[in-house]
């Protein structure tokens, strides 16, 4: 069985229905596709699921005709090889039509146009995070061109989708999404995805600055890492896939990803699928929002744009954030009110468990073990092997062969109990020894700042507000605080 470690080649289409020549039969029924999505722990590429979608014809030229005079915000970034991530707060922005973008992207400079100050050889442009419901507010008929119902989500279409159009080099910094899992349909051009599993979070050096609800950014430029400042990144396990038109990438919950357009123009459509875990995640995000806004506003009340991501436009006052937190806690408790008092339906990542138990506050030891538990979940069941869903129409994204030499000795050895093939099916095992190794490396990564403080040399800089926030709103910490908060409200 082939695996997506780089570019995925399109398999042959499924045979036509019996007696109906030319009719395309999808390789998975909607029910089976949803079952796979809700149980899969690693990224994978679906083939032959979108050939009858009208949206497959949504090239940038086509969309420009749908939106002939629509002003769209483009993020402008430098084509650089810097080791520092190019966060959205460091970019400039242009309001332009898609037609104006296509003229600029075709190397036809317009000295009077909105892109006049941006040399195409030095800059890329990205119309990212464009929600259909805002773009096509007067063209609701186009929502039906996207059919996520084929993946088992009835009624889900463009109304719950986001459009991405970019030039070569356009990218999003490495981050993880706090909510849901992700389905990404590649329409035009190719995009290269660099993905890292959730248990590698300590090696990605998470930060909430710039602040954006639902996004945890990495301090590492994963395509040009500064290993002197971020040595732990050498242990992160990079998975790479080049997504081509017609393919749909499934990104599981909390997988880190850096995405870059590698063709002159690329068009993608995605939809974030809500999960049971999102109810608790919203409480964690509300806690993060309150703490980040309080500390950063106190530090510099007149320059919120230095730390607030451009996608965040809501008021950041303490009163508003208190209201937001209370709403998140109330919504969480209301959601579980159908369960017995004091109980919570505990679903593992994307539904791997249905065990009910008392909501309990984890001890520091249990919190520290979060990543080893996540490793077991991500890599699959450990008690019994489960038949692989993979085949010619669903291909897993595997660890990359493009790793830096120093990255190849990661948390797992390639032949040390990680990926196992048996009878042409893929099984993934995680031994007890390997889990201990992951936990040990996580501890080492988290201990690095403390180790540097203990040296005899004087500190190079004082602790900054951002340094404090990296600890206070670390995903492990906010999860514990959310559990304490909910526990207190239940008593």
């Amino acid at each position: 069985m082939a695996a997506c470690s780089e570019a995925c080649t399109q398999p042959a289409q499924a045979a036509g229905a019996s007696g109906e020549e030319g009719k395309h039969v999808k390789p998975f029924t909607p029910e089976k596709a949803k079952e796979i999505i809700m149980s899969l722990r690693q990224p994978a590429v679906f083939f032959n699921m979108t050939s009858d979608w009208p949206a497959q014809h949504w090239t940038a030229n086509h969309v420009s005709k749908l939106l002939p005079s629509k002003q769209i915000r483009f993020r402008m970034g430098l084509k650089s090889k810097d080791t520092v991530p190019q966060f959205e707060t460091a970019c400039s922005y242009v309001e332009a039509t898609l037609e104006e973008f296509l003229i600029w992207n075709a190397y036809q400079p317009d000295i009077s146009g909105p892109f006049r100050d941006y040399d195409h050889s030095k800059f890329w442009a990205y119309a990212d995070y464009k929600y259909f419901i805002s773009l096509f507010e007067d063209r609701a008929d186009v929502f039906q061109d996207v059919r996520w119902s084929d993946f088992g989500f009835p009624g889900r279409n463009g109304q719950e989708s986001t459009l991405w159009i970019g030039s070569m080099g356009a990218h999003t910094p490495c981050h993880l999404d706090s909510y849901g899992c992700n389905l990404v349909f590649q329409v035009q051009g190719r995009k290269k995805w660099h993905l890292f599993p959730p248990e590698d979070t300590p090696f990605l050096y998470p930060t909430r600055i710039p602040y954006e609800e639902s996004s945890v950014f990495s301090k590492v430029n994963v395509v040009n890492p500064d290993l002197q400042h971020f040595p732990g990144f050498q242990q992160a396990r990079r998975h790479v896939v080049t997504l081509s038109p017609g393919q749909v990438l499934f990104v599981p919950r909390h997988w880190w990803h850096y995405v870059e357009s590698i063709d002159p123009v690329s068009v993608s459509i995605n939809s974030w699928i809500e999960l049971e875990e999102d109810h608790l995640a919203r409480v964690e995000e509300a806690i993060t929002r309150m703490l980040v806004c309080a500390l950063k506003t106190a530090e510099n009340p007149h320059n919120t744009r230095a730390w607030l991501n451009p996608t965040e436009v809501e008021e950041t006052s303490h009163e508003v954030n208190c209201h937001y937190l209370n709403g998140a806690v109330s919504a969480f408790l209301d959601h579980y009110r159908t369960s017995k008092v004091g109980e919570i339906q505990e679903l593992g990542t994307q539904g791997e468990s249905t065990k009910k138990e008392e909501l309990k506050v984890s001890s520091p030891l249990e919190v520290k073990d979060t990543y080893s538990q996540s490793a077991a979940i991500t890599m699959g069941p450990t008690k019994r092997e489960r038949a692989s869903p993979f085949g010619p129409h669903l291909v897993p994204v595997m660890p990359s062969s493009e790793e830096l030499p120093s990255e190849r000795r990661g948390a797992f050895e390639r032949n040390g109990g990680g990926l196992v093939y048996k009878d042409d099916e893929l099984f993934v095992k995680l031994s007890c020894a390997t889990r201990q190794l992951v936990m040990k490396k996580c501890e080492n990564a988290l201990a690095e700042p403390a180790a540097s403080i203990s040296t005899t040399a004087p500190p190079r800089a004082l602790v900054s507000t951002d340094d404090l926030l990296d600890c206070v709103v670390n995903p492990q910490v906010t999860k514990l605080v959310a559990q304490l908060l909910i526990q207190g409200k239940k008593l």
Side-chain angles (χ1 to χ4, degrees):
M1 179 194 65
C4 280
S5 59
E6 187 49 55
C8 280
T9 304
Q10 187 79 26
Q13 288 192 351
S18 59
E20 297 184 52
E21 291 185 9
K23 181 176 180 180
H24 175 66
V25 176
K26 298 182 188 300
F28 303 104
T29 65
E31 295 75 19
K32 183 60 178 178
K34 184 175 183 179
E35 178 188 331
I36 291 170
I37 288 167
M38 302 308 286
S39 62
L40 200 57
R41 306 290 172 264
Q42 70 182 105
V45 178
F46 285 90
F47 295 88
N48 294 324
M49 291 290 288
T50 61
S51 61
D52 60 344
W53 288 21
Q56 69 172 320
H57 304 297
W58 278 38
T59 62
N61 276 312
H62 176 79
V63 179
S64 71
K65 292 178 174 62
L66 292 176
L67 303 168
S69 57
K70 183 79 171 184
Q71 290 287 308
I72 297 173
R73 195 184 200 200
F74 288 84
R75 178 159 58 96
M76 308 301 297
L78 280 169
K79 297 177 179 179
S80 70
K81 297 295 183 181
D82 201 342
T83 57
V84 178
Q86 198 165 168
F87 291 123
E88 293 166 55
T89 48
C91 294
S92 52
Y93 293 83
V94 164
E95 298 284 337
T97 65
L98 274 174
E99 183 179 8
E100 289 168 328
F101 160 74
L102 290 170
I103 291 172
W104 172 81
N105 199 43
Y107 301 90
Q108 299 176 23
D110 183 352
I111 58 173
S112 63
F115 295 96
R116 62 185 176 275
D117 296 328
Y118 299 94
D119 185 337
H120 188 277
S121 65
K122 297 179 181 178
F123 287 88
W124 48 259
Y126 207 5
D128 52 357
Y129 297 99
K130 304 307 177 189
Y131 289 93
F132 272 52
I133 201 164
S134 299
L135 273 183
F136 302 102
E137 53 191 344
D138 300 323
R139 291 291 310 272
D141 57 301
V142 305
F143 293 163
Q144 305 305 319
D145 287 7
V146 181
R147 301 172 178 173
W148 299 115
S149 55
D150 285 345
F151 288 86
F153 303 96
R156 196 177 194 92
N157 54 38
Q159 192 167 6
E160 296 83 20
S161 301
T162 310
L163 184 68
W164 310 69
I165 301 177
S167 64
M168 184 179 292
H171 65 268
T172 52
C174 187
H175 67 285
L176 67 79
D177 300 318
S178 303
Y179 305 137
C181 60
N182 197 0
L183 288 173
V184 186
F185 170 40
Q186 191 64 24
V187 180
Q188 180 183 8
R190 295 169 300 154
K191 278 187 172 178
K192 193 169 188 177
W193 286 71
H194 299 250
L195 301 113
F196 303 86
E199 63 270 21
D200 283 1
T201 291
F203 311 137
L204 273 297
Y205 297 84
T207 182
R208 296 311 300 260
I209 303 298
Y211 172 74
E212 176 183 82
E213 184 184 355
S214 81
S215 294
V216 182
F217 290 102
S218 168
K219 293 181 180 180
V220 184
N221 180 348
V222 299
V223 294
N224 189 26
D226 182 347
L227 297 179
Q228 285 190 326
H229 283 90
F230 308 110
F233 181 69
Q234 298 175 73
Q235 301 179 60
R237 289 162 296 148
R238 185 193 305 267
H239 297 58
V240 178
V241 62
T242 298
L243 199 65
S244 298
Q247 300 171 357
V248 174
L249 175 65
F250 166 66
V251 182
R253 183 176 189 261
H254 285 184
W255 271 72
W256 293 85
H257 48 284
Y258 168 98
V259 191
E260 182 172 348
S261 301
I262 60 174
D263 280 333
V265 63
S266 68
V267 178
S268 308
I269 298 171
N270 87 294
S271 189
W272 286 284
I273 308 299
E274 301 82 5
L275 298 170
E276 186 72 17
E277 295 86 350
D278 292 348
H279 298 287
L280 181 59
R282 288 189 185 91
V283 179
E284 296 169 20
E285 284 297 296
I287 292 167
T288 299
R289 181 189 186 96
M290 176 174 282
L291 293 174
V292 170
C293 291
L295 287 176
K296 293 299 290 185
T297 303
E299 179 184 56
N300 189 348
H302 305 297
N303 189 19
T304 59
R305 285 297 144 192
W307 55 270
L308 194 64
N309 215 46
T311 54
E312 288 292 319
V313 295
E314 294 182 11
E315 186 180 357
T316 58
S317 71
H318 187 69
E319 180 183 3
V320 168
N321 293 335
C322 279
H323 180 75
Y324 187 82
L325 175 59
N326 277 280
V329 172
S330 296
F332 177 91
L333 295 174
D334 289 344
H335 177 73
Y336 290 107
R337 200 147 283 165
T338 54
S339 301
K340 294 179 182 178
V341 176
E343 286 188 351
I344 179 173
Q345 179 80 18
E346 217 175 52
L347 297 177
T349 301
Q350 294 166 16
E352 80 281 354
S353 171
T354 56
K355 178 182 178 182
K356 284 188 176 182
E357 60 182 36
E358 292 291 322
L359 177 62
K360 56 187 178 184
V361 178
S362 302
S363 70
L365 178 61
E366 288 171 319
V367 171
K368 185 170 66 174
D369 194 47
T370 297
Y371 291 118
S372 63
Q373 294 172 12
S374 177
I377 292 171
T378 302
M379 300 305 289
T382 57
K383 290 187 176 180
R384 65 182 183 89
E385 294 178 343
R386 182 164 52 184
S388 168
F390 301 123
H393 302 289
L394 180 67
V395 182
V397 179
M398 303 298 287
S400 171
S401 60
E402 286 192 354
E403 294 167 331
L404 299 175
S406 57
E407 292 176 327
R408 290 180 182 171
R409 296 181 300 276
F412 294 95
E413 294 296 333
R414 292 293 177 263
N415 59 353
L419 302 171
V420 179
Y421 286 93
K422 180 180 178 183
D423 298 329
D424 293 327
E425 290 188 330
L426 176 66
F427 297 96
V428 191
K429 297 180 179 179
L430 195 64
S431 66
C432 179
T434 304
R435 287 197 297 273
Q436 291 173 352
L437 179 61
V438 174
M439 182 174 172
K440 179 65 176 176
K441 291 184 181 294
C442 290
E443 291 172 348
N444 290 343
L446 292 171
E448 283 169 9
S452 64
I453 293 173
S454 65
T455 60
T456 56
R460 283 181 277 181
L462 296 174
V463 174
S464 68
T465 304
D466 290 1
D467 294 331
L468 178 61
L469 283 170
D470 285 343
C471 300
V472 174
V473 294
N474 182 284
Q476 293 181 82
V477 176
T478 54
K479 182 177 289 293
L480 176 60
V481 173
Q483 290 175 338
L484 286 165
L485 197 59
I486 292 168
Q487 183 73 15
K489 288 295 180 182
K490 288 175 59 188
L491 296 177

